[in-house]
Amino acid sequence: MSPDPILVPIQSWFERRGWSPLPFQQRSWAAYLEGRSGLIQVPTGSGKTFAAVMGPIAAMLAETGDHPGIRLLYITPLRALSRDLALAIREPITEMRWPLRVGIRNGDSSSSERSKQLKSPPQILVTTPESLTLLLSNSKAEELFRHLDTVVLDEWHELMGSKRGTQTELCLSWLRQQRPSLQTWAISATIGNLAQAARHALGTDGDPVIIGGAPARVTEIRSLLPETIDGFPWAGHLGLRMYEDLVAAMNPGISTLLFTNTRNQSERWFQCLRFACPEMEGALALHHSAIDRSEREAIEASVKAGTIRWVVCTSSLDLGVDFQPVEQVVQIGSPKNLARLLQRAGRSAHLPGGTSQVLFMPTNALELLELSAVRRGLEEGLVEQRKPPNAPLDVLLQHLTSLACGAGFHPEETLRAVRSSAAFSNLAEEDWDWCLRFLEHGGDCLAAYPRYRKLEWDEAVQRFRVRDSAIARLHRLNIGTITAAPAITVRFVRGAVLGHVEETFIGQLKPKDVFFFSGRQLEFVRLRDMTAYVKVSNRKSRTVPAWAGGQMALSDLLTHHLRLEVDRASRGELDTPELQALTPLFERQQDLSVLPRIGQLLIETCRTREGTHLYAYPFEGRFVHEGIGFLWASRLTQLERGTITVSVNDYGFELLAPKTYPMAELLEDHSDLLLNTDHLERDLEAALNLSELQRRRFRAIAQVAGLMHRGFPGSGKSTGQLQISASLLFDVFERHEPQNRLLLQARREVLDEQLELSRLEAALQRAAQQEWLHVATPRPGPLAFPLLVERLNNRMSNETVLERIQRMQEEALRREQSGA
């Protein structure tokens, strides 16, 4: 069958490169030319960018005359991807001399470049959700997008599960209001809820085309297995002990990305590898989002050029950046999520049909159990779902203010547009009216303050506008849905910016203190105007910045497979290398207690010098265990007064009470009470001080909604100032407007996202149907030991955690050998 004549220029470029278009690319182009919208789901590195953009480019080339204004808008979640995407799109345009221009607009674009784009827009613009929102707040927005034909959403699976995805949906609803024939194409890696992802990308109207069928990519996982497994494992120890095995398994000539789950971990592992491999000096680099952009870009360029061979990194290199020289990926510690491992694996062999090589480096013996679960999940072709936020009104308030800063908006028309987005398809009339009243009058509580009365009705054009230029300027400076502790810039006393750390970390340092950051030993000199001045130091230090949000929990899909792995181990079905390596641990657990099977819940109780312990192992993930642990502690203390300490990990939780506390007796007599779900929200509120959690969540919501700002450049607010502002607003609303929609949203987000209420309730219901195995053990066993360490990590002592754990391991082994 001959190709569509419109596609001849595209075919010509592919032939010039010696390529043949893949079937999924051809189907994407054909669907686009038929006027359809849809979602392309293919593995990383399969040619998805050309599948999405070549149809729109072919349509533009087929037109006669000029190509005025922005015709194709390409939205990417990361600024770091913009440059690579623009280069990829420019490549055929430059080679074939097509009359099209490609521009980039994001937070790194200069003011002069932005001004040029407004005067003479490129036909293709690569941007981020935040920069698109900023464009919508411009008075020329309607003119700028008057000829827009297509929007491409890159890495949609990454955007969809956050408020940035909701922000993007609202922007698209406005663009479709201006251009009803607008075509939208989302690009996604493998995702469990594909139909829902397509609906959120394309809106509630239309029939999305879902295209897959890229060449399958094989993912080969190899584990570094320790020679011996401690019977008493604990977090971190195995990784530190095995760094020499990791170095031996890596080849200095093979380009490798070493992924960690947190920036703190990446700093520590970079430090470790630099010490272990001095010969890699200059060929080893560190990459995470807190490092200055120019340094990250230099590292990315060096990886592509082949001069840097190993990069220790975080999710900053998860997405999109094309690293064809990378041949191997190392995952340090459990990925906690099947989709995350697939995404990272795709960084190697970044070509259609390639084989991804992943080397797994456990940092805890029990992480081998998680990897065995990951293997099984990947074999079954399963990946997690991404749950989009449900109608977050803080994002809607920000969107409406952005529109009012620009050309303004008509309430009835805009309500129809907002409801056409999947996130707000069920938006209630009273919620919409509340938003308008809140923005126009300050709501029920803030009417006396002019800065909260943002909207004014413009009778001449029948639209709401923001007339106060100061309000508009401050709003544009604070657009976005990512909120974090204020960042302190780290800069050499005489020289370059290194990156940023959180204010809370710098606040703990004194002049002459030494810390490790951006791969360097740095001496803190002084803090001035939100900038920490430093100089290089030869003095060694173990102090490394920690950033908020470092904890990751196992996904619900992975916890399901984890329970199956424990069941296999209990039956002696050790059919993966990881399960076989854990044989000594399983044997010791069976000697002291049991391994639970599917349909069983293991609870261990014992007494030590510390007190009375209860260890429960639902295998439901850290956040669910935190909720259940505090819930049980609260319910137990209602039965018998006492102080109970809770510690949790992904496998279970520990309750520690005084020695005389009748833990075992209460457990046997009141199991029904512990598992009751009748008044779960009320009981959680009593157990967790829900009001304080709600107060913290409200701070982020208030920033997104525009109730509080970080201020103008050079006069930013500190964490303390933001906390005070948020607390005052919270108290005012709680006292005078308890049904304030933002207060209710904060409560809902705490329950749904932070405590994962639906998973918690399902876990309690599952436990109620299981057989309870209550085992009284003489001492904490192998499954309990990591929980004990979790608690010790949060306790002050003049003895290091490593020293204390080693002493405890020796004592446990000594008691075991003596038969005590």
Side-chain angles (χ1 to χ4, degrees):
M1 186 176 71
S2 59
D4 190 313
I6 291 179
L7 291 172
V8 169
I10 311 302
Q11 299 279 4
S12 299
W13 180 69
F14 269 74
E15 290 169 8
R16 181 170 177 164
R17 299 302 301 265
W19 298 343
S20 294
L22 296 168
F24 86 91
Q25 292 174 323
Q26 293 175 317
R27 289 201 305 277
S28 302
W29 301 339
Y32 178 83
L33 294 176
E34 290 170 4
R36 305 289 300 276
S37 294
L39 184 146
I40 303 168
Q41 179 182 258
V42 293
T44 300
S46 300
K48 58 185 181 180
T49 303
F50 292 136
V53 303
M54 285 307 195
I57 286 176
M60 283 188 271
L61 294 175
E63 296 174 1
T64 55
D66 295 330
H67 305 90
I70 299 170
R71 307 292 302 280
L72 168 61
L73 192 62
Y74 198 113
I75 302 173
T76 174
L78 295 179
R79 285 182 287 182
L81 302 183
S82 302
R83 192 178 61 261
D84 272 36
L85 288 166
L87 285 172
I89 296 169
R90 279 190 190 119
E91 193 174 9
I93 291 172
T94 304
E95 284 187 23
M96 305 300 287
R97 298 186 179 182
W98 293 333
L100 301 172
R101 286 184 295 121
V102 181
I104 299 174
R105 189 184 183 95
N106 57 39
D108 297 330
S109 302
S110 66
S111 56
S112 60
E113 177 65 21
R114 294 179 194 185
S115 297
K116 285 180 189 173
Q117 289 173 355
L118 289 174
K119 291 175 184 173
S120 177
Q123 287 84 10
I124 302 170
L125 183 66
V126 180
T127 190
T128 59
E130 291 77 15
S131 290
L132 176 57
T133 306
L134 202 54
L135 281 174
L136 265 53
S137 72
N138 191 289
S139 59
K140 298 180 180 178
E142 290 178 338
E143 177 65 23
L144 192 65
F145 295 109
R146 190 158 60 102
H147 301 286
L148 185 67
D149 299 318
T150 315
V151 175
V152 173
L153 302 170
D154 196 28
E155 308 286 0
W156 179 240
H157 60 284
E158 196 66 29
L159 278 175
M160 181 182 119
S162 70
K163 287 183 180 179
R164 298 181 77 214
T166 310
Q167 180 183 14
T168 306
E169 287 187 59
L170 287 172
C171 289
L172 286 172
S173 74
W174 183 85
L175 290 171
R176 293 188 186 110
Q177 181 186 1
Q178 312 303 310
R179 299 282 293 161
S181 61
L182 185 71
Q183 291 177 254
T184 307
W185 282 85
I187 302 171
S188 174
T190 308
I191 190 171
N193 49 334
L194 198 56
Q196 187 181 24
R199 179 56 60 213
H200 277 263
L202 275 61
T204 56
D205 300 329
D207 180 23
V209 180
I210 296 180
I211 293 176
R217 170 173 290 136
V218 177
T219 300
E220 292 183 359
I221 303 175
R222 181 165 64 93
S223 296
L224 279 178
L225 301 175
E227 292 181 11
T228 59
I229 291 284
D230 289 334
F232 300 98
W234 62 282
H237 177 52
L238 194 58
L240 295 171
R241 196 180 67 189
M242 288 181 60
Y243 78 89
E244 291 179 346
D245 296 329
L246 174 61
V247 171
M250 292 166 59
N251 185 334
I254 291 180
S255 183
T256 303
L257 297 181
L258 298 99
F259 281 103
T260 66
N261 287 340
T262 67
R263 290 173 280 188
N264 181 280
Q265 280 183 318
S266 68
E267 291 274 357
R268 293 183 185 280
W269 275 95
F270 176 79
Q271 196 173 13
C272 174
L273 290 175
R274 202 169 74 163
F275 166 78
C277 307
E279 71 279 6
M280 291 296 291
E281 192 68 36
L284 171 68
L286 173 66
H287 190 291
H288 60 69
S289 58
I291 293 173
D292 187 62
R293 175 179 59 89
S294 59
E295 186 164 342
R296 295 200 309 270
E297 289 177 356
I299 291 167
E300 292 163 17
S302 297
V303 172
K304 291 177 185 177
T307 52
I308 287 181
R309 310 302 294 172
W310 296 354
V311 183
V312 184
C313 56
T314 62
S315 53
S316 59
L317 289 183
D318 267 8
L319 303 176
V321 180
D322 188 2
F323 285 142
Q324 288 190 15
V326 172
E327 299 167 71
Q328 181 176 253
V329 163
V330 174
Q331 172 64 43
I332 297 176
S334 167
K336 305 292 182 185
N337 183 297
L338 294 171
R340 184 178 296 115
L341 185 67
L342 278 177
Q343 185 75 36
R344 291 176 173 180
R347 298 294 98 211
S348 67
H350 202 265
L351 292 166
T355 297
S356 299
Q357 304 283 341
V358 179
L359 179 65
F360 178 71
M361 167 76 204
T363 61
N364 175 302
L366 290 177
E367 284 184 339
L368 292 171
L369 195 61
E370 292 181 39
L371 185 68
S372 190
V374 167
R375 277 189 193 279
R376 209 88 60 177
L378 293 180
E379 285 171 6
E380 294 181 21
L382 300 173
V383 288
E384 289 82 7
Q385 298 187 0
R386 294 292 180 105
K387 183 182 175 184
N390 179 30
L393 294 186
D394 56 340
V395 185
L396 179 58
L397 290 170
Q398 184 184 102
H399 174 69
L400 294 177
T401 308
S402 298
L403 296 183
C405 288
F409 69 90
H410 187 278
E412 284 79 14
E413 293 173 3
T414 302
L415 175 59
R416 283 196 296 273
V418 166
R419 282 177 172 164
S420 72
S421 68
F424 290 92
S425 58
N426 297 315
L427 180 67
E429 194 81 36
E430 55 267 27
D431 287 340
W432 172 257
D433 292 339
W434 181 88
C435 288
L436 291 183
R437 194 169 68 254
F438 192 75
L439 290 174
E440 187 179 8
H441 304 295
D444 297 342
C445 300
L446 304 176
Y449 303 95
R451 67 179 179 276
Y452 298 118
R453 300 197 303 269
K454 298 178 179 179
L455 303 188
E456 295 182 37
W457 181 252
D458 189 330
E459 195 67 41
V461 293
Q462 293 290 291
R463 291 182 178 188
F464 278 118
R465 307 282 293 270
V466 172
R467 294 188 189 276
D468 189 323
S469 59
I471 289 176
R473 189 164 67 252
L474 196 57
H475 174 77
R476 292 186 181 109
L477 285 169
N478 289 273
I479 280 174
T481 62
I482 299 174
T483 59
I488 299 291
T489 301
V490 180
R491 178 191 287 274
F492 283 127
V493 174
R494 296 175 183 169
V497 171
L498 292 174
H500 63 270
V501 298
E502 289 185 0
E503 183 187 30
T504 48
F505 172 75
I506 289 294
Q508 298 167 2
L509 298 179
K510 300 187 296 292
K512 296 191 177 180
D513 280 355
V514 175
F515 64 101
F516 193 85
F517 172 67
S518 189
R520 301 169 174 89
Q521 293 288 152
L522 302 171
E523 179 182 316
F524 176 55
V525 178
R526 63 178 177 273
L527 177 66
R528 183 178 296 166
D529 297 331
M530 302 296 280
T531 299
Y533 291 92
V534 298
K535 61 183 179 182
V536 174
S537 173
N538 292 324
R539 287 188 290 135
K540 300 297 180 187
S541 173
R542 293 182 180 178
T543 303
V544 176
W547 288 264
Q551 290 282 20
M552 289 185 178
L554 286 172
S555 68
D556 54 349
L557 184 61
L558 202 47
T559 56
H560 167 72
H561 282 282
L562 185 64
R563 290 190 290 273
L564 292 175
E565 294 305 298
V566 177
D567 180 73
R568 288 187 179 92
S570 71
R571 298 173 188 276
E573 299 173 7
L574 309 179
D575 56 349
T576 65
E578 294 79 22
L579 290 181
Q580 291 162 11
L582 288 170
T583 300
L585 188 147
F586 295 145
E587 289 175 349
R588 181 164 274 144
Q589 176 67 23
Q590 295 276 30
D591 289 342
L592 279 171
S593 176
V594 295
L595 279 169
R597 295 186 176 182
I598 291 293
Q600 295 178 331
L601 174 66
L602 173 60
I603 299 175
E604 298 170 345
T605 55
C606 68
R607 280 191 170 88
T608 68
R609 284 181 298 178
E610 288 189 293
T612 302
H613 304 257
L614 180 151
Y615 296 102
Y617 308 102
F619 296 97
E620 296 279 3
R622 171 181 293 274
F623 298 148
V624 173
H625 292 156
E626 190 170 43
I628 298 177
F630 281 103
L631 184 69
W632 280 23
S634 174
R635 288 174 173 176
L636 285 169
T637 53
Q638 289 170 18
L639 296 168
E640 181 81 23
R641 291 175 66 85
T643 301
I644 297 181
T645 303
V646 181
S647 64
V648 304
N649 63 17
D650 279 315
Y651 315 112
F653 59 90
E654 177 202 40
L655 304 184
L656 173 63
K659 279 186 181 181
T660 56
Y661 197 81
M663 190 81 79
E665 293 83 351
L666 292 174
L667 182 69
E668 292 290 349
D669 296 340
H670 299 282
S671 59
D672 290 346
L673 172 67
L674 294 179
L675 298 175
N676 190 292
T677 58
D678 289 347
H679 305 287
L680 193 53
E681 274 193 41
R682 184 199 66 191
D683 291 353
L684 279 172
E685 186 159 8
L688 281 164
N689 191 1
L690 201 61
S691 178
E692 182 56 34
L693 295 177
Q694 187 179 345
R695 187 182 292 269
R696 289 181 203 165
R697 182 58 67 114
F698 176 78
R699 191 188 314 156
I701 288 171
Q703 283 181 244
V704 174
L707 283 175
M708 41 188 269
H709 299 290
R710 298 206 180 283
F712 293 105
S715 59
K717 293 181 180 177
S718 69
T719 302
Q721 289 171 316
L722 290 174
Q723 286 173 344
I724 292 168
S725 300
S727 292
L728 285 172
L729 287 168
F730 186 90
D731 291 339
V732 167
F733 291 148
E734 198 172 44
R735 189 175 301 118
H736 301 292
E737 191 187 350
Q739 293 302 303
N740 180 285
R741 299 306 197 273
L742 299 182
L743 280 188
L744 299 178
Q745 181 184 330
R747 181 185 177 86
R748 189 177 73 241
E749 287 185 13
V750 166
L751 290 170
D752 293 348
E753 298 172 24
Q754 194 167 340
L755 299 178
E756 298 190 88
L757 184 62
S758 58
R759 279 183 70 182
L760 196 156
E761 188 170 5
L764 288 172
Q765 290 168 349
R766 182 163 32 247
Q769 296 165 2
Q770 291 175 317
E771 175 192 357
W772 279 41
L773 301 178
H774 177 201
V775 181
T777 61
R779 56 191 167 273
L783 292 181
F785 213 74
L787 283 163
L788 201 149
V789 175
E790 192 82 31
R791 179 164 43 80
L792 292 179
N793 269 319
N794 297 318
R795 184 184 296 177
M796 296 295 290
S797 171
N798 58 6
E799 188 180 21
T800 69
V801 171
L802 178 59
E803 290 167 345
R804 294 158 77 192
I805 297 306
Q806 288 172 339
R807 174 171 52 76
M808 288 162 54
Q809 285 177 320
E810 289 165 6
E811 288 175 3
L813 290 169
R814 200 162 47 242
R815 286 197 301 269
E816 194 169 282
Q817 289 162 3
S818 66

